[in-house]
Structure formats: structure tokens, C-alpha cells
Amino acid sequence: MMKKLMMLMVVVILAVFAADQVFAKPIEIHWWHAMRGARGETLKKIVDAFNASQSDFVVVETNKGNYDETVNAGVAAYRAKKHPHILQSFEVGTLTMMLSGAIYPVYKLMADQGYQIDWSSYLQPVLSYYVDENENLLSMPFNSSTPVMYYNVDLFKKAGIDLPSKTEPLTWDQMGDITAKLVASGVKKGMVTSWQSWTQVENYSAIHDLPFASKANGYEGLDCELQINNAQVVNHLSRLKSWMADNRFSYEGQKYQGPQAAFVGGDAAILMESISGIGNVKKNAQFAWDLAPLPVEASMKEPQNSIIGGASLWVMQGHPKKDYKGVAAFMDFLAQNDMQELWHMETGYFPITITAYESLKKKGYFDENPYQEVGINQMTRRKPTKNSRGLRLGYFVQIRNIINEEMELLWNGSKSPQQAMDDAVSRSNEKLREFEKTYK
């Protein structure tokens, strides 16, 4: 009798255990991000695909506003111990995230969870932005972009201008002639630029192998200083200022809304903007358009790679150990070819792996959409140098705002180009010393 009772108890326990396994809720992995509109819709497709691919975990994606708002929300949540597992942070916040003490480095996460990843199979100009001094990857690249030159094909043809190459950049001397012809043909604004600090100072410096800051642009120490008041950058900005007199260049705002509107509306013939603007231009432009590399100085026979913008995914510490198995699985899923191909095709952002890029090439995607390869070719045309690897500066959000403020004073005639850049350097260096004091 006792034996039968014991067997019955075992059966009941096993049944209860089995029921728990069947009805156990998947572990939630929370991801806070800044992707909206069409990009947010594609992000949701990726999340839905991961959730449908397995039953142990469910990723819950939440938009927290723009980049600044998302990072600020993540910092506040971490202090309150209510933070997400994954936080998207823009590239200018990289050093702050690195030194925050709040992150679980991606290379360590993946190794701890048994993933053997060949990091050399990733696009190196993208990867290099997010590695430490030992080349270990700290955050997972997600939406990576670079600026290129958009142009209105119809207006170029009307002005009798040959269409630019998709691989060989125009010189800035040629740009002067082209914008003059465009204005003479009736175009209101020859050229506009989005994200003026990123395109006309940061990327201009990288492409021409000029230091943006000392200490290898901050990679080699917190005690770095800005160096953007050099003669070549000042001369470049002086040229743009001179072009404002005859509408060859028009200032339309610091970020992207004004410049994009001027281009899409047909007022401006040339727009320097992120590759991530492809979706908006494709959707709203009522004319033929195309892309070309950013211009270079005639003296720069072998221009360097452009540098990236966008954001990466940081894994945050402080969650139960079992959760990180799901975080690693999701990171691995994001890097798969089909997800990277979808992300690139629908948003314009780079596929982060060489295998995804080669897969798209083999399928003929770039033969049908050659403009989407312009940014990739520009960013990978040279091995990065210390000047073109990227920027690793503390308080970079504030520094970029300072540069933008000084550039506006240049454009409105309140300061000379040299004075504006000198002041941008001195003001930014004060921020760098504050950061150094805080994190040294």
C-alpha cells in the first residue's frame, strides 16, 4: 500500500512539474530604443521574428523618444534599479556608456553564454567605434550610418551638369563650379547640409586624415583636446561661408529637418545627409535623385574612410543571470544575414556583417539599388587611421552642441571662421576637462 502511495505521489509531482514547464511564461527581455516611424516598424518586425523563433524568451521593445531622451531614461532607470536589459545609445554617448560601470560588455556576454563569434566578419569601420583598448567589443553595433551626397538628377540635367560618380568623389573645387551652374539655372539653393558638425567638421576631418582631437581623437586618453581650429577646417568653413553670398550654400538648421525639407521640396539641388535619410527621400521626393560620395579636396588623392553615426546596443548589468541567455540569443539573432539584410534594405543603415553585405551583393541587390552601396564603399575604401577611426570623447553631446552654436555664429556673420573654431575648441576643452576630472 505504501509503495503504491509513493508511486502515486511521484506521478503527481511529475505531472505538476510538466504542467509548470508547459505553462511557464517566457522570460521578458526589455529593450529601450529611439527608433520611430518606418525604422521603428522594421525594428518591430525583427523583434517579432525573434519572438516567433523560440518560446523561452520574449523581447519587449519600447520607444523612449529621441536619442537623448532614451539614454537619459536609461540612466535614470539604472539608478532606480528599474532599467532595461538592452539600451540603445547614440555614438556620441559611447565613452560615457563605457565608463558608466553599468554595462555588461557584449564580447564577455557572448563568450559567457557559449557563442563563438568571429568578430573579424563584421564591418571593421563600424566595429572599431565600439571596442576598448584591447579591441574587445563593448556594445553591439545596430543602426550604423555615414553621410553621403544626395543630388537632384533632374536639376543637374537641366543645368547641363554631368552626373557624379558613385565611387570617385567630386572635389570641392568642382562643387564650387557645380553649385554656381545650378544657381545660374534657377535653383534657389545649390547645396545644404544636415548634421553640420558631423558632416562638415567630423567627417571632413576624417576623410582628409586630420585630427579632430589629440590622443587619437580621444581613444588614447581622457586628457585630449579638440584640434578643429586647424587651417584646413577653417578654410573649408570659410569657403562655405563665402558661398552663402550667391546661394551656392544655404544654412537650413543644425540637424536634418530643414535641410531635408529644402532638398525634398526641390529648393536645394544637393543635400549632404546620412544614408539613413534614404527612406524619407525615397518616400517624399517627387523627382529623380541619386547618391554620390562626399566631396574631397583636390590635394587628397587617396581620401580616407568616412566615419559612422547612428547607435549601438548596450547590455546593462543587474538582471538575473538566466535573463542574459535570452539577451545573448537576441544579439546573435540580430546579426543573422536575413535580419541584417532586412534592416539595410528597409532603412538604409549598414548591414553590420561582411557576410550579410556579400549575400546582398550575390543576390544582385546593389545592381538594382546601386545608391545603397555608396555609403558602404565610402566607409570601407581605406583602412581606418587614428584620425579616421572615429571619435571617443567625453561629454560629446555637449561638445557637438557647442560646435553647432559656433558654426551658427559663423554663418550669421557674428564671428569669423577662425574665431568660431577657436571658441569651439576652448569651450569644448573645458567640457573635456570636466569629464576627465569626473572619470579619471
Side-chain angles (χ1 to χ4, degrees), residues 181-208:
K181 289 179 181 178
L182 287 165
V183 172
S185 72
V187 174
K188 294 180 181 178
K189 302 165 184 177
M191 166 198 152
V192 295
T193 184
S194 296
W195 310 107
Q196 58 174 0
S197 173
W198 184 49
T199 56
Q200 302 307 323
V201 181
E202 297 166 37
N203 267 281
Y204 179 89
S205 297
I207 288 171
H208 293 89

Side-chain angles (χ1 to χ4, degrees), residues 91-92 129 146-147 195-213 217 226 228 233 236-237 294 305-310 387-393 396-397 399-401 403-404 407 421:
E91 89 284 7
V92 295
Y129 215 108
T146 205
W195 310 107
Q196 58 174 0
S197 173
W198 184 49
T199 56
Q200 302 307 323
V201 181
E202 297 166 37
N203 267 281
Y204 179 89
S205 297
I207 288 171
H208 293 89
D209 204 18
L210 299 169
F212 184 87
N217 287 344
L226 254 61
I228 58 173
V233 169
H236 172 57
L237 297 179
L294 293 177
N305 58 288
S306 57
I307 56 176
I308 67 169
N387 294 328
S388 69
R389 179 185 187 184
L391 308 174
R392 184 67 61 78
L393 305 177
F396 196 13
V397 177
I399 287 172
R400 189 178 272 175
N401 288 338
I403 296 170
N404 281 326
M407 290 178 78
M421 289 300 98

Side-chain angles (χ1 to χ4, degrees), residues 188-263:
K188 294 180 181 178
K189 302 165 184 177
M191 166 198 152
V192 295
T193 184
S194 296
W195 310 107
Q196 58 174 0
S197 173
W198 184 49
T199 56
Q200 302 307 323
V201 181
E202 297 166 37
N203 267 281
Y204 179 89
S205 297
I207 288 171
H208 293 89
D209 204 18
L210 299 169
F212 184 87
S214 62
K215 298 284 184 174
N217 287 344
Y219 275 81
E220 295 177 357
L222 298 182
D223 56 334
C224 59
E225 295 183 338
L226 254 61
Q227 297 183 332
I228 58 173
N229 55 344
N230 63 74
Q232 190 164 331
V233 169
V234 170
N235 288 339
H236 172 57
L237 297 179
S238 298
R239 172 174 50 210
L240 293 179
K241 172 61 177 172
S242 71
W243 289 359
M244 295 180 76
D246 57 8
N247 296 320
R248 282 183 287 171
F249 170 64
S250 177
Y251 175 61
E252 300 293 320
Q254 294 181 6
K255 298 186 178 179
Y256 70 92
Q257 293 91 339
Q260 265 198 17
F263 180 72

Side-chain angles (χ1 to χ4, degrees), residues 168-178 239 243 294-301:
E168 298 301 317
L170 294 168
T171 68
W172 277 104
D173 293 335
Q174 289 173 317
M175 283 290 291
D177 294 337
I178 288 170
R239 172 174 50 210
W243 289 359
L294 293 177
V296 301
E297 301 295 349
S299 60
M300 195 69 185
K301 302 304 181 184

Side-chain angles (χ1 to χ4, degrees), residues 151-156 158 182 185-192 258-271 281 284-289:
Y151 64 94
N152 186 317
V153 171
D154 294 345
L155 293 180
F156 266 59
K158 179 183 176 184
L182 287 165
S185 72
V187 174
K188 294 180 181 178
K189 302 165 184 177
M191 166 198 152
V192 295
Q260 265 198 17
F263 180 72
V264 171
D267 289 341
I270 296 170
L271 166 68
V281 174
N284 296 304
Q286 302 298 309
F287 51 81
W289 57 274

